[in-house]
Amino acid sequence: MSVLALEGGSSPETAPDALSGFTVGVTATRRREEFGALLERRGARVVSAPAIRLVPLAEDADLLAATRLSLAEPLDDVVVTTGVGFRGWMAAAEGWGLSSDLGEHLANARLLTRGPKARGAVRAAGLNDHWTPATESCQEVKQYLLDQDLRGRRIAVQQHGEPLADFVADLRRAGAEVIEIPVYRWLPYRDISPLRRLISQAISGSVDAVAFTSAPAVHAMLGAARAEGLEDSLLAAFSGTVVAACVGPVTAEPLTSRGVPTLQPERSRLGALARALARHLPEHGVTRLVAGEHRLEIRGHAVVVDGELRPLPPAPMAVLKRLADKPGHVVSRADLRTVLPGSVARDSAEHAVEMAITRLRRALGPSGIVETVVKRGYRLACQYEAGL
């Protein structure tokens, strides 16, 4: 299942600092600086953990072999799934001295483009597109083809990062000869230590969301977690408090197929994904309350006190969130000890809790928000705001 964040509608555009106090993990490799800037512009703290890297096209022997196979005979249909992939294919063909032959074969075929970016790349190459689905879905492209007699038709299918196994198999069962074009293939990122750290942060709840811009990145993160024996814990985190934000349904499929909820924008664009997060996290990831006559908004790594954002270290934040779980009720020191990050020795646990409370009060600023109940523990002098 998925949570759909709509663009437009009656809700106003989110404020520039809508993501202040939230931490978002970014798994993208391509355009990660651009996407990170979109999030930071809205106030987010960004954790970059590239999950995958591209195989250079000019060095890809599989792509060269598929291109030569495509040129061996006329093509009837060509499925173009991504604009960047199509442009890369044309550039690689030029480097191999095959651009003229490839352009001629494509000009004589029906070019089915999955979305507007793919269509734009086709037109920029001086070619005519035949049809584009309204949904930007490979499933709709496949159905469009299957509704026709495919017996004897020669179809080239441009991949978009991973094999379209079911797509290709269904066309072949319908009688088509299908040539798979691996325009770009993914490999694990060379240094996976940032990804491993992000997995740990997601499981511990140290990040509020993880953003994915491709299905291979999702597979890479799940695979890295599986290798550490943490896949179930990671999936549980995504099914709990950590938002899995995916640029579109193709990207989300590895998670949705396992019952994990995802946040998706209405349009599969980086800007739309950033806006979806900027709408979703302040609405669903904030605890609003009044404590000691002060208005608090508890966010991922910060608290807004009377409109002023105050970042908190991990230990004071963990304590504050635990107190906010039971607003107005006393929480014992033993209970608070269990939420402190890292391992705390039993003989120093009470001191660690007291230090976290001291740092929390100092960071909050105004007095009277956190109260000490002698010999029992601590409490927030608060009540939930009605209607918030």
Side-chain angles (χ1 to χ4, degrees), residues 92-111:
E94 182 175 4
W96 299 323
L98 299 175
S99 60
S100 179
D101 289 344
L102 180 58
E104 182 179 346
H105 274 65
L106 296 177
N108 292 322
R110 295 191 312 175
L111 302 185

Side-chain angles (χ1 to χ4, degrees), residues 15 41 102 147 175 198 241 244 295 382:
R41 197 176 302 149
L102 180 58
D147 287 341
L198 180 57
T241 59
R295 296 171 62 90
C382 66

Side-chain angles (χ1 to χ4, degrees), residues 332-342 344-346 348-350 352-353:
S332 69
R333 290 182 176 85
D335 191 343
L336 292 176
R337 183 187 67 203
T338 64
V339 302
L340 293 178
V344 179
R346 182 176 295 274
S348 61
E350 185 166 331
V353 171

Side-chain angles (χ1 to χ4, degrees), residues 43-372:
R45 175 191 292 171
V46 174
V47 176
S48 181
I52 52 178
R53 59 186 174 90
L54 289 172
V55 176
L57 293 177
E59 302 172 14
D60 197 332
D62 291 345
L63 176 59
L64 176 57
T67 302
R68 285 176 170 159
L69 182 59
S70 299
L71 299 178
E73 297 180 33
L75 294 169
D76 295 298
D77 300 286
V78 178
V79 177
V80 182
T81 57
T82 63
V84 64
F86 183 79
R87 289 192 295 271
W89 188 19
M90 298 297 289
E94 182 175 4
W96 299 323
L98 299 175
S99 60
S100 179
D101 289 344
L102 180 58
E104 182 179 346
H105 274 65
L106 296 177
N108 292 322
R110 295 191 312 175
L111 302 185
L112 311 178
T113 54
R114 183 172 65 92
K117 288 190 175 181
R119 183 176 59 218
V122 165
R123 292 180 179 178
L127 299 166
N128 296 320
D129 53 288
H130 177 75
W131 179 79
T132 302
T135 60
E136 302 184 31
S137 163
C138 284
Q139 180 65 30
E140 190 172 351
V141 176
K142 181 179 75 172
Q143 194 57 53
Y144 176 84
L145 287 167
L146 291 177
D147 287 341
Q148 305 168 42
D149 184 358
L150 298 183
R151 289 174 295 183
R153 293 189 72 83
R154 203 161 183 263
I155 304 175
V157 178
Q158 176 224 315
Q159 310 285 0
H160 55 74
E162 61 179 2
L164 298 171
D166 292 340
F167 188 107
V168 170
D170 288 345
L171 296 187
R172 285 174 176 160
R173 276 193 291 268
E177 176 191 351
V178 182
I179 304 166
E180 299 177 71
I181 310 295
V183 174
Y184 47 92
R185 292 185 293 119
W186 305 103
L187 293 176
Y189 202 71
R190 290 183 176 87
D191 179 8
I192 66 168
S193 55
L195 185 62
R196 286 174 175 163
R197 284 195 295 270
L198 180 57
I199 291 169
S200 297
Q201 289 172 306
I203 292 171
S204 68
S206 300
V207 297
D208 303 289
V210 177
F212 298 100
T213 57
S214 71
V218 180
H219 285 298
M221 188 173 195
L222 293 178
R226 189 181 312 119
E228 301 290 325
L230 297 173
E231 184 178 20
D232 289 343
S233 297
L234 180 61
L235 292 172
F238 286 143
S239 296
T241 59
V242 180
V243 177
C246 300
V247 75
V250 174
T251 297
E253 196 278 334
L255 293 172
T256 56
S257 64
R258 303 182 68 168
V260 175
T262 62
L263 176 72
Q264 298 175 33
E266 189 176 65
R267 299 176 67 246
S268 299
R269 302 289 184 270
L270 293 184
L273 182 58
R275 288 192 293 273
L277 280 165
R279 288 187 176 95
H280 182 84
L281 288 179
E283 180 178 352
H284 299 278
V286 173
T287 299
R288 295 177 175 85
L289 46 82
V290 173
E293 300 184 355
H294 297 281
R295 296 171 62 90
L296 306 184
E297 287 188 7
I298 302 172
R299 299 186 168 213
H301 64 263
V303 57
V304 180
V305 183
D306 296 330
E308 182 180 349
L309 184 73
R310 296 174 178 268
L312 292 179
M317 175 55 77
V319 167
L320 177 59
K321 288 182 176 180
R322 185 70 183 107
L323 294 174
D325 286 341
K326 299 179 179 180
H329 294 269
V330 178
V331 181
S332 69
R333 290 182 176 85
D335 191 343
L336 292 176
R337 183 187 67 203
T338 64
V339 302
L340 293 178
S343 59
V344 179
R346 182 176 295 274
D347 57 356
S348 61
E350 185 166 331
H351 177 68
V353 171
E354 291 175 355
M355 287 299 300
I357 290 289
T358 299
R359 296 172 70 192
L360 173 60
R361 285 172 167 157
R362 186 183 303 124
L364 290 175
S367 60
I369 296 176
V370 179
E371 297 179 337
T372 301

